[in-house]
Amino acid sequence: MKLFTLYYDRYTTASTSKMINMPHTVLCHNNYERFNCIGVNGTLIQTNQPKGIQNNFNYALSSLEKDEWCIFMSDDLVGAKVLQNNKFIDCNIEYPLKELINIIPKCDKAGIKLIGLNSTGNPFYAKNKYSKFGLVDGRCFAIKKTSFKFHKDIFTIPDYYATLYHLCKYGGNLILNYCYLDFKRYEPGGLGSVSDRLEQKYNDIRILKSLYPKNIKVKNKPNEPKDSHIIIVR
């Protein structure tokens, strides 16, 4: 199983590679020589792809054989959680990764090509161990190599595009609601803060609405800019 984590410009502070005790590949766009935060199990590759996480997603997918699976992770890992007695508690980082890997044979039999983890950290939304129709969070997910490619013009919400594509083409994805990897979000560096990326996100939402008009809905969320939050509908 190939494991990729995607780095941009957190040359000293990106945390994921040093926290993973499994062989993995770290993909950066450029400035290979500036990174000093690669763990002993990591191999750093400079892709020379244009700015945009979707481009390095596609670079990694192009390295796979047909029907091969891989796992993607963000660069700012802080820990892992598992649901016990209706509460999320700390667990070993490898646990959610192994759960993704172990469920793949069942997904192959069911025709599922995209697997995610709990995306909210809220036990209320984890009453069912598994679900099929929600967002497959882009911070950590497993994907099977098909003809799918991330949309080249969707920068800020590529996980929504991947979720909708696979949902509409294959009828459902799989989300493991009982565990997740915990990441920092919108830290300095990386691809930018919420405000830095807002105009791009509005454009990304317009693209998604044109591609999947029946499957997304704008739903305003407290403490987020107006019309910047979307939900997936069936």
Side-chain angles (χ1 to χ4, degrees):
M1 169 66 65
K2 291 179 181 175
L3 176 60
F4 296 95
T5 181
L6 308 187
Y7 281 23
Y8 184 58
D9 64 358
R10 295 189 183 104
Y11 304 114
T12 62
T13 59
S15 58
T16 302
S17 180
K18 286 190 174 182
M19 296 180 71
I20 305 173
N21 294 320
M22 302 167 63
H24 60 278
T25 301
V26 180
L27 298 182
C28 67
H29 292 266
N30 51 28
N31 296 324
Y32 172 101
E33 69 286 349
R34 296 182 64 182
F35 286 91
N36 63 6
C37 54
I38 309 304
V40 296
N41 294 298
T43 300
L44 179 63
I45 294 178
Q46 177 172 304
T47 67
N48 297 312
Q49 295 295 303
K51 180 180 178 180
I53 195 170
Q54 71 277 18
N55 296 310
N56 272 355
F57 277 140
N58 285 333
Y59 178 94
L61 288 176
S62 71
S63 73
L64 303 180
E65 300 294 331
K66 185 179 183 297
D67 296 329
E68 184 180 3
W69 286 84
C70 75
I71 292 174
F72 285 112
M73 301 175 67
S74 294
D75 70 349
D76 48 4
L77 180 65
V78 295
K81 304 280 188 179
V82 63
L83 188 66
Q84 287 189 9
N85 299 319
N86 203 37
K87 292 183 179 180
F88 278 108
I89 64 171
D90 291 338
C91 68
N92 188 288
I93 286 169
E94 278 68 43
Y95 177 78
L97 295 174
K98 289 179 180 178
E99 290 299 289
L100 284 174
I101 294 169
N102 290 340
I103 202 72
I104 284 174
K106 292 182 178 179
C107 289
D108 281 332
K109 289 182 180 179
I112 291 169
K113 323 286 186 185
L114 187 66
I115 315 170
L117 303 172
N118 185 292
S119 63
T120 67
N122 188 337
F124 179 81
Y125 298 107
K127 293 178 180 178
N128 296 319
K129 189 174 183 179
Y130 305 106
S131 57
K132 292 179 62 178
F133 302 113
L135 173 68
V136 175
D137 192 303
R139 289 172 290 176
C140 182
F141 63 97
I143 186 170
K144 186 175 185 175
K145 171 69 176 287
T146 62
S147 59
F148 169 78
K149 291 184 178 180
F150 284 84
H151 196 293
K152 65 181 180 64
D153 295 320
I154 294 179
F155 288 77
T156 65
I157 45 175
D159 48 357
Y160 278 87
Y161 176 70
T163 298
L164 288 164
Y165 175 98
H166 287 85
L167 179 62
C168 292
K169 182 158 185 155
Y170 301 110
N173 302 308
L174 182 67
I175 301 169
L176 312 184
N177 291 318
Y178 57 90
C179 64
Y180 65 96
L181 289 173
D182 197 12
F183 297 85
K184 295 179 183 179
R185 303 196 74 177
Y186 308 115
E187 290 292 294
L191 297 177
S193 66
V194 173
S195 58
D196 291 338
R197 306 177 75 192
L198 186 57
E199 288 305 316
Q200 181 63 59
K201 187 173 184 181
Y202 284 142
N203 188 64
D204 293 349
I205 290 172
R206 285 192 289 269
I207 294 172
L208 280 178
K209 288 175 71 174
S210 71
L211 293 171
Y212 301 104
K214 297 180 180 179
N215 299 105
I216 67 165
K217 179 180 178 181
V218 175
K219 185 176 182 180
N220 288 324
K221 190 175 181 180
N223 303 316
E224 291 196 13
K226 189 175 186 297
D227 298 331
S228 69
H229 180 67
I230 58 175
I231 59 172
I232 293 171
V233 297
R234 288 189 289 148

